[in-house]
Amino acid sequence: MSTTEQTYIMIKPDGVQRGLVGEIIARFEKRGFKLAALKLASPSKEHLEKHYADLSDKKFFPGLIKYMLSGPVVCMVWEGLDAVKTGRTMLGATNPLASAPGTIRGDYALQVGMNVCHGSDSVENGQKEIALWFPEGVSQYKLDAQAWIYE
Ligand code: RTP
């Protein structure tokens, strides 16, 4: 069943450094999703360890945290029909070499340790991530363009 939901999308330090911020935002905008929150952030090690808590026992965890601390990230909440699943499809597979061309990772990345962008993997995790990254809350407003996006 399709539902209107929110997903947490984060442009990782490599995406910011490589000037892909506008490109990634444009893809979500053009697809028809509604921007509910947006900011540039330099999270602490502790904050990133919370975000990636599920991966704390992985061998690559210290390298992942180091990478995520290497520069600012862009934090966003996008809202719309099947936003979580469609967001993941737009990102492409975790390992960019397996990502289809036309996806963000398939177009802009080569290695899993520099894969440009994060997207929530479930509605429940999305809500947890939004609460972690946007404790101040997200915006609620009427997007008039929706009348031309939804039947
Ligand atoms: P993300 O959370 O960043 O959207 O990635 P994901 O769900 O597609 O993949 P996940 O398994 O949750 O991994 C999180 C991030 O950890 C890095 N990673 N490195 N070196 C490695 O083998 C390895 N595996 C994963 C990637 O940056 C991945 O996006």
Side-chain angles (χ1 to χ4, degrees), residues 35-57:
L35 184 63
L38 170 69
K39 68 182 173 192
L40 186 74
S42 296
S44 66
K45 186 166 180 275
E46 292 68 32
H47 189 94
L48 289 163
E49 285 171 348
K50 262 189 212 162
H51 174 79
Y52 281 123
D54 291 353
L55 301 173
S56 60
D57 58 346

Side-chain angles (χ1 to χ4, degrees), residues 12 52 55 60 64 67 88 94 105 112 115 117-119:
K12 297 180 179 183
Y52 281 123
L55 301 173
F60 61 79
L64 170 62
Y67 155 58
R88 295 280 290 187
T94 305
R105 289 165 176 164
V112 71
N115 64 359
C117 203
H118 160 84

Side-chain angles (χ1 to χ4, degrees), residues 98-109:
S99 306
T103 64
I104 291 166
R105 289 165 176 164
D107 285 349
Y108 300 117

